[in-house]
Amino acid sequence: MTRRPLIAGNWKLNGTLGQAAELVEHLLPLLPQSSAEVVICPPFTALPAVSAMLAGTTVALGAQDLFWKPSGAYTGQISAAMLKEAGCRTVIVGHSERRGRFGTPDPDMDAAVLASFADNDATVALKAAAAAAGGLAPICCVGETLAERQAGHADAIICKQARAAIGRIPGDCSFSEIALAYEPVWAIGTGEVCDAAEAERICAMIRGVVAEAAGSRAGEAVRVLYGGSVKPGNAVELLAQPNIDGALVGGASLNAADFAAIAAAA
């Protein structure tokens, strides 16, 4: 089965409306004509404006998070239907920064405060299912901390997270519309990158988890991405691996030339 490469840019907490418009204006002319699917995920406030700028292009719009309920007394939350209405096609679910597993704790926030922001396997499963049922393609993030890797627990933790992420996906959803992103927490925003051979091993393992849980066709169809300090200099080697179907790009997605070069590597 041929899987279409996916390159997704996670802008995180960056970009006023003006800055978002400027970045999109610079990016669009630089993107190569290729078979890769390109998605950008700006902050919630910029979604409608960026959606209008992407109209008529091949670039899709994504969001950085969602809530699993369609409506109700959930102050500060946003639903799949709201994101669809804003023009989103996809949504990131369970990023390590949403799980509360920061590579370097914020010096202005103690552990208890950080924990209050945390997603977990149960909420990630609910969010992924709500996204898929609501017509959004979820990008479900999994990954281990440095301490977990050094303790020899990386594989078990990643497999557990992956099983949970797809555990509630509706049976009528195609796994070609689901992505799992391996993001080693120790490599996010640190400049460190997982060795390409090790990233390939982990991504193949994640694909195996999907095949075991949902069948071999689902395992072949699901796209497995790598994220964690992806840059033009390492994108070619990473994206050449047979089980790495694209990249979830953080800091480099805020630089139009860098993000376009990563897209070209796919």
Side-chain angles (χ1 to χ4, degrees), residues 42-243:
F44 291 136
T45 53
L47 289 175
V50 172
S51 177
M53 296 183 72
L54 297 181
T57 76
T58 59
V59 181
L61 183 69
Q64 297 177 21
D65 192 25
L66 83 164
F67 194 58
W68 57 87
K69 294 287 189 179
S71 62
Y74 304 104
T75 301
Q77 301 300 324
I78 192 164
S79 71
M82 293 172 181
L83 295 178
K84 284 276 287 185
E85 186 177 50
C88 291
R89 184 191 177 282
T90 189
V91 60
I92 299 169
V93 176
H95 190 280
S96 67
E97 292 160 6
R98 291 293 315 152
R99 289 180 185 261
R101 293 173 173 166
F102 295 86
T104 304
D106 189 324
D108 296 324
M109 303 173 74
D110 64 24
V113 174
L114 285 174
S116 71
F117 288 96
D119 265 335
N120 54 48
D121 286 350
T123 60
V124 169
L126 289 167
K127 290 180 177 185
L136 296 171
I139 300 173
C140 306
C141 300
V142 301
E144 82 285 7
T145 66
L146 181 59
E148 290 165 341
R149 171 165 281 269
Q150 290 176 334
H153 301 321
D155 287 14
I157 286 168
I158 293 163
C159 289
K160 177 176 176 289
Q161 291 174 345
R163 289 190 193 98
I166 64 169
R168 289 176 174 263
I169 297 293
D172 59 349
C173 289
S174 170
F175 270 80
S176 63
E177 293 298 312
I178 311 294
L180 289 168
Y182 170 51
E183 289 203 311
V185 179
W186 47 270
I188 298 172
T190 65
E192 298 291 332
V193 65
C194 186
D195 175 83
E198 174 64 0
E200 162 65 13
R201 184 188 74 81
I202 295 288
C203 289
M205 181 179 71
I206 292 169
R207 191 178 307 286
V209 169
V210 176
E212 180 182 351
S216 59
R217 289 191 177 184
E220 283 296 314
V222 71
R223 288 183 287 186
V224 184
L225 316 181
Y226 173 79
S229 296
V230 179
K231 303 185 186 315
N234 57 40
V236 172
E237 183 180 15
L238 286 165
L239 297 175
Q241 306 303 313
N243 282 290

Side-chain angles (χ1 to χ4, degrees), residues 30-57:
L30 298 177
L31 286 172
Q33 296 296 319
S34 73
S35 60
E37 178 182 359
V38 177
V39 177
I40 55 176
C41 303
F44 291 136
T45 53
L47 289 175
V50 172
S51 177
M53 296 183 72
L54 297 181
T57 76

Side-chain angles (χ1 to χ4, degrees), residues 16-31:
T16 62
L17 288 177
Q19 291 167 335
E22 183 178 8
L23 180 53
V24 174
E25 286 176 355
H26 288 159
L27 174 63
L28 290 178
L30 298 177
L31 286 172

